[in-house]
Amino acid sequence: MAHVFENYRNDYHKSADMDQNLKFKMKYKKLKRLVKNTVLENAALCDQVAQMQENLVIVKAERLFLLRKLCQLQGETDIASIATKVQNNNLNTSLIDCDSGTTKRCTKKRNATDNTNSTGDSNAYKGKTKRCGKIPKRLVQLIPLDIHGRPLFPISLGDLTVYSLGEVVSDRPAYHTEELIYPVGYCSTRVYASLKNVQTTSLYTCKILDGGAKPRFEIVSDSDLNQPLVGSSPDECHSRLLAAISPLLCNVPPKGANFFGISHPTIQNLIQSSPGTRKLPLYKPQRFEVSKSLPGENDGSPIPEKETDPGINFHALHRTFALNSYRIKQEPIEHDLRVLHDLA
């Protein structure tokens, strides 16, 4: 009897051990399954993070492109100025909201004191503030840009074609004025009357070179490449061109900046957006606005060169002297007859 009980006891303990081993085996399989799922989930998250980083790089590039395009369209001098405006917009608005009550009270007190002192001075002060707050905007044309927001050359603007904007020189004051910038390496071409025959056209290449303390302006005709017309200013260069075409054109006022194209709103906007412009001590930044009309439309066209300017436009030159010939038929004048004979 004792032997049977001993066998039953041993079988019971064996079955209990087997159940316990089976229980731990099930827990092991469950933990193994959890670890496997965790590893797979971690790998999927790593792939998602890598994809988000790639998308972030693409979005940053697109944001930079949009900032540069916005800089060109709105006529800002630098992309950093737009970025700082965007970053400080909320701070400025909060500061204005906080100080609005105090500023209103200060302005009321100031107006009260001004009115008690003299009404004429206050009116003059108000007129000055209104005039200083408005700066006229100039119209610019839309030009093709690359994926980085840089203009595609050559830039064709009627008779003017620009091949290079050059580099802004900020350490020499002679390379800019209050209205214009003379970038070194600037190159453009323009169609105008030929040096050899006034009735035919010629292609003139205009360049701005590094001349040391002062810039060097050159105009070279395709009919005479060995004799460039050199000057220390655009007007000097343009006046020499008019005198070389005909001595009778010396009476035409020179407009070298228009002939070179550096005063064209579209080109001036691009030059103003170049690096180093903010370091210029004399230059006053201009405000530009994109023209809503197409470049080929006449109404609202942003082309600054007037079609009636004989010093820039070839057809305007001949229209002017054709009008003089009509006047000569009515009232012959010896000077006008000589002009018509020389140009014919």
Side-chain angles (χ1 to χ4, degrees):
M1 193 69 184
H3 182 68
V4 174
F5 178 76
E6 189 68 24
N7 291 335
Y8 175 76
R9 182 182 177 185
N10 293 333
D11 293 339
Y12 176 77
H13 285 294
K14 287 181 181 180
S15 61
D17 293 337
M18 290 178 63
D19 292 339
Q20 190 174 7
N21 291 335
L22 183 62
K23 183 178 180 181
F24 283 112
K25 190 174 181 180
M26 293 295 294
K27 288 184 178 181
Y28 170 74
K29 289 182 178 181
K30 186 177 180 180
L31 289 174
K32 187 176 180 180
R33 193 183 308 112
L34 289 175
V35 170
K36 185 177 180 181
N37 293 335
T38 305
V39 170
L40 294 176
E41 186 177 0
N42 186 22
L45 290 175
C46 290
D47 294 338
Q48 188 175 2
V49 168
Q51 184 66 29
M52 292 299 294
Q53 289 178 351
E54 292 179 0
N55 295 336
L56 185 62
V57 172
I58 296 173
V59 169
K60 285 183 178 180
E62 292 178 353
R63 182 174 65 90
L64 181 60
F65 168 74
L66 292 176
L67 280 175
R68 288 179 176 174
K69 194 168 183 180
L70 182 63
C71 174
Q72 180 190 1
L73 294 180
Q74 293 186 351
E76 294 288 344
T77 57
D78 195 355
I79 300 177
S81 61
I82 300 178
T84 53
K85 286 181 181 180
V86 173
Q87 292 175 359
N88 298 330
N89 189 16
N90 296 328
L91 180 61
N92 292 333
T93 53
S94 62
L95 291 176
I96 290 172
D97 292 336
C98 293
D99 298 337
S100 60
T102 57
T103 52
K104 287 181 180 179
R105 288 193 295 270
C106 292
T107 51
K108 287 182 180 179
K109 291 180 181 180
R110 186 178 300 171
N111 291 331
T113 54
D114 291 339
N115 290 327
T116 53
N117 292 330
S118 59
T119 57
D121 295 337
S122 62
N123 292 331
Y125 178 74
K126 291 179 181 179
K128 288 183 180 179
T129 54
K130 289 182 180 180
R131 287 195 296 270
C132 295
K134 293 183 180 180
I135 300 176
K137 293 182 180 181
R138 302 173 63 190
L139 297 178
V140 300
Q141 295 183 16
L142 288 174
I143 58 174
L145 304 173
D146 59 6
I147 58 175
H148 300 291
R150 294 188 292 265
L152 295 175
F153 294 98
I155 302 174
S156 180
L157 301 169
D159 293 339
L160 175 68
T161 304
V162 179
Y163 294 90
S164 175
L165 295 177
E167 296 181 358
V168 177
V169 179
S170 58
D171 56 348
R172 283 169 281 183
Y175 284 78
H176 70 280
T177 61
E178 292 184 358
E179 294 83 13
L180 297 173
I181 301 175
Y182 306 137
V184 174
Y186 176 84
C187 181
S188 65
T189 59
R190 181 179 288 277
V191 178
Y192 195 58
S194 176
L195 292 172
K196 298 181 179 180
N197 187 2
V198 185
Q199 294 183 354
T200 61
T201 59
S202 180
L203 185 66
Y204 291 92
T205 302
C206 307
K207 297 181 181 179
I208 302 178
L209 305 176
D210 191 347
K214 294 182 179 180
R216 175 187 173 94
F217 297 88
E218 287 187 1
I219 297 179
V220 183
S221 174
D222 60 351
S223 59
D224 195 357
L225 300 176
N226 297 325
Q227 293 184 356
L229 301 172
V230 183
S232 59
S233 66
D235 290 342
E236 181 182 354
C237 220
H238 189 215
S239 62
R240 291 185 179 181
L241 172 64
L242 296 176
I245 293 175
S246 175
L248 301 173
L249 295 179
C250 295
N251 297 326
V252 177
K255 294 183 179 179
N258 293 338
F259 194 87
F260 275 74
I262 54 178
S263 64
H264 193 287
T266 303
I267 303 302
Q268 189 174 2
N269 182 29
L270 294 175
I271 296 176
Q272 182 174 284
S273 303
S274 302
T277 307
R278 301 183 66 182
K279 299 179 181 179
L280 302 178
L282 301 178
Y283 180 72
K284 297 181 180 179
Q286 306 290 326
R287 296 183 63 187
F288 299 96
E289 184 179 1
V290 179
S291 175
K292 296 181 180 180
S293 60
L294 297 175
E297 295 179 355
N298 294 327
D299 47 346
S301 178
I303 300 177
E305 296 105 19
K306 296 181 180 179
E307 296 297 332
T308 58
D309 192 352
I312 299 174
N313 188 270
F314 172 75
H315 300 287
L317 176 66
H318 283 269
R319 281 199 302 267
T320 302
F321 287 101
L323 180 61
N324 290 337
S325 65
Y326 175 75
R327 291 175 180 174
I328 288 169
K329 292 179 181 179
Q330 293 181 347
E331 297 181 48
I333 301 175
E334 208 169 320
H335 176 69
D336 293 335
L337 286 172
R338 284 202 307 270
V339 173
L340 182 62
H341 178 71
D342 291 338
L343 290 177

